Amino acid sequence: LAKTTQPISMDSYEGQEVNITCSHNNIATNDYITWYQQFPSQGPRFIIQGYKTKVTNEVASLFIPADRKSSTLSLPRVSLSDTAVYYCLVGTGTASKLTFGTGTRLQVTL
Amino acid sequence: EPEVTQTPSHQVTQMGQEVILRCVPISNHLYFYWYRQILGQKVEFLVSFYNNEISEKSEIFDDQFSVERPDGSNFTLKIRSTKLEDSAMYFCASSEGDRGYEKLFFGSGTQLSVL
């Protein structure tokens, strides 16, 4: 299983772009990279998923370099409501093999 | 967006009592899961369920736990004899498939407090 490493916490001001990098040095060929967001007392919520290069949706962008040993979740112009824990998950096979790490606690302030 | 619904949102029980946590997965999903999160800790996989049987389970999911899909819409987690350490937020999730790149849809959770 690919182990992931993320910063424990990050702080940002409202309106700024936030980039959270996840390191996954032993990612396997078939592994996908998925990011979830979790608000306090709520279940994780899927944000974005990618395999290589760049993926963008209405919420975020995901940048994956050619070697795929890391990935960066980019949140454009964050607001207070983006304060949450962000998890980077790497894997394939059955969903049970996906491991939620400690995540990155993002705090957005005015 | 479709939602996974969990009831109750909070459950308080005495140690040794049985509890049943209920979930309504998204209607066209085929795979169902239970996860738990002890306060301040990681989200942990408990069990996956497909075609009316358990697909996989973790070490946490011991004999005191059971899951059931009693009808076409509900998915339940039963804890037979609760312990203090079972206090946690329990999340139900569902997905269309069961591969690592499937999008998991989580419910809002049931906060279980064992006294």
Side-chain angles (χ1 to χ4, degrees), chain B residues 16-115:
Chain B
Q17 294 296 305
E18 174 184 285
V19 294
I20 298 176
L21 309 183
R22 292 183 166 80
C23 168
V24 179
I26 292 169
S27 59
N28 64 333
H29 285 183
L30 300 177
Y31 293 84
F32 316 116
Y33 314 86
W34 284 100
Y35 290 78
R36 80 170 186 191
Q37 186 174 31
I38 296 171
L39 185 63
Q41 298 189 24
K42 301 176 186 179
V43 176
E44 301 174 291
F45 168 77
L46 293 178
V47 65
S48 60
F49 190 86
Y50 169 72
N51 199 27
N52 284 319
E53 59 182 29
I54 291 174
S55 302
E56 289 184 89
K57 58 184 180 179
S58 71
E59 304 169 340
I60 303 168
F61 194 88
D62 60 23
D63 291 344
Q64 70 162 342
F65 291 93
S66 63
V67 289
E68 192 180 30
R69 188 153 162 84
D71 53 43
S73 60
N74 291 286
F75 180 51
T76 62
L77 173 69
K78 181 192 290 186
I79 309 176
R80 276 183 252 288
S81 178
T82 50
K83 305 172 190 168
L84 295 176
E85 54 265 36
D86 293 328
S87 294
M89 180 75 93
Y90 288 80
F91 295 110
C92 174
S94 68
S95 67
E96 291 184 6
D98 188 31
R99 293 160 295 190
Y101 48 87
E102 293 290 342
K103 181 177 174 180
L104 296 177
F105 290 78
F106 285 81
S108 296
T110 294
Q111 179 64 56
L112 176 64
S113 299
V114 182
L115 307 179

Side-chain angles (χ1 to χ4, degrees), chain A residues 88-103:
Chain A
C88 164
L89 280 70
V90 173
T92 186
T94 59
S96 63
K97 301 296 191 292
L98 292 179
T99 302
F100 283 84
T102 51

